[in-house]
Every structure is written in structure tokens, then in C-alpha cells.
């Protein structure tokens, strides 16, 4: 099979177009948290802060005496805190989605 410059150009253009296609139902922009029906930014900030305080409560487990074990413990603790924050927000009725899918006029908090 012989590729001409024209067929090569058409192939490249086709691949570029396929790569640029996106699913609009998945939204665009950064991931955000919002609470359906809450339109007051102060209420959103207060509710988010409450869950953030819950996720930050509890001491970090410092296990081990060398730098490697301390680093591993700190990374695991950060993941646990993020999970607690997510669970708290979901239990309070918050939704996690892309910014473009948040209804107009609804305040949100970036992830």
C-alpha cells in the first residue's frame, strides 16, 4: 500500500477530529461540589467548612521513625481526610460534577 501526501493528510485530519470529540454529557471544566437547591454562597461556604472541619479532626497517625514511613503515613492520612470530606458532603446532599453541569445561579466549591 502506497500512502500519498494527500491520503496521509486526510488520515491525520481524521485522527485529530476524532481526538477532539468529547461527550457533552460529562461536562467540561474543573470538578466542583454543589448542593442542589442552595443558592446562597454563604450557606454553601458554611456547609462545606463544616465537612472540612470534620475531615480534619483526628490526629495524624505518625507511625515509624524514619523519613520514608513518616512520608507514607502523611500520604495515607491525606487520602483518608479526602475520603471523609467526600463522604460528609455526599451524606449532606452535595453533588460532585464538572463545573459546566452545575445549574446556572447555583454556587459551587472547586474540588
Amino acid at each position: 500500500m502506497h500512502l500519498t501526501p494527500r491520503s496521509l493528510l486526510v488520515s491525520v485530519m481524521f485522527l485529530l477530529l476524532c481526538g477532539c470529540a468529547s461527550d457533552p454529557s460529562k461536562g467540561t471544566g474543573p470538578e466542583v461540589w454543589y448542593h442542589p437547591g442552595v443558592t446562597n454562597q454563604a450557606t454553601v461556604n458554611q456547609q462545606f467548612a463544616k465537612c472540612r472541619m470534620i475531615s480534619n479532626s483526628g490526629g495524624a497517625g505518625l507511625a515509624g521513625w524514619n523519613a520514608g514511613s513518616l512520608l507514607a503515613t502523611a500520604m495515607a492520612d491525606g487520602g483518608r481526610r479526602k475520603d471523609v470530606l467526600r463522604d460528609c458532603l455526599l451524606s449532606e446532599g452535595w453533588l460532585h460534577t464538572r463545573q459546566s453541569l452545575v445549574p446556572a445561579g447555583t454556587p459551587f466549591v472547586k474540588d
Side-chain angles (χ1 to χ4, degrees), residues 61-75:
L62 297 176
W65 294 99
N66 62 42
S69 64
L70 288 175
L71 180 61
T73 301
M75 289 171 52

Side-chain angles (χ1 to χ4, degrees), residues 20-34:
C20 292
S22 64
D23 183 358
S25 69
K26 294 186 180 183
T28 59
E31 291 186 344
V32 298
W33 287 97
Y34 81 98

Side-chain angles (χ1 to χ4, degrees), residues 20-105:
C20 292
S22 64
D23 183 358
S25 69
K26 294 186 180 183
T28 59
E31 291 186 344
V32 298
W33 287 97
Y34 81 98
H35 195 291
V38 177
T39 58
N40 182 337
Q41 185 67 49
T43 302
V44 165
N45 292 344
Q46 183 181 23
Q47 290 179 357
F48 195 83
K50 180 185 112 184
C51 283
R52 195 170 43 239
M53 284 175 40
I54 290 170
S55 72
N56 288 328
S57 65
L62 297 176
W65 294 99
N66 62 42
S69 64
L70 288 175
L71 180 61
T73 301
M75 289 171 52
D77 187 57
R80 181 196 63 81
R81 290 174 193 261
K82 188 172 183 176
D83 289 345
V84 171
L85 175 63
R86 184 196 70 234
D87 292 346
C88 178
L89 291 170
L90 290 173
S91 72
E92 296 290 330
W94 286 67
L95 299 176
H96 191 237
T97 190
R98 295 284 182 177
Q99 185 174 342
S100 66
L101 297 178
V102 176

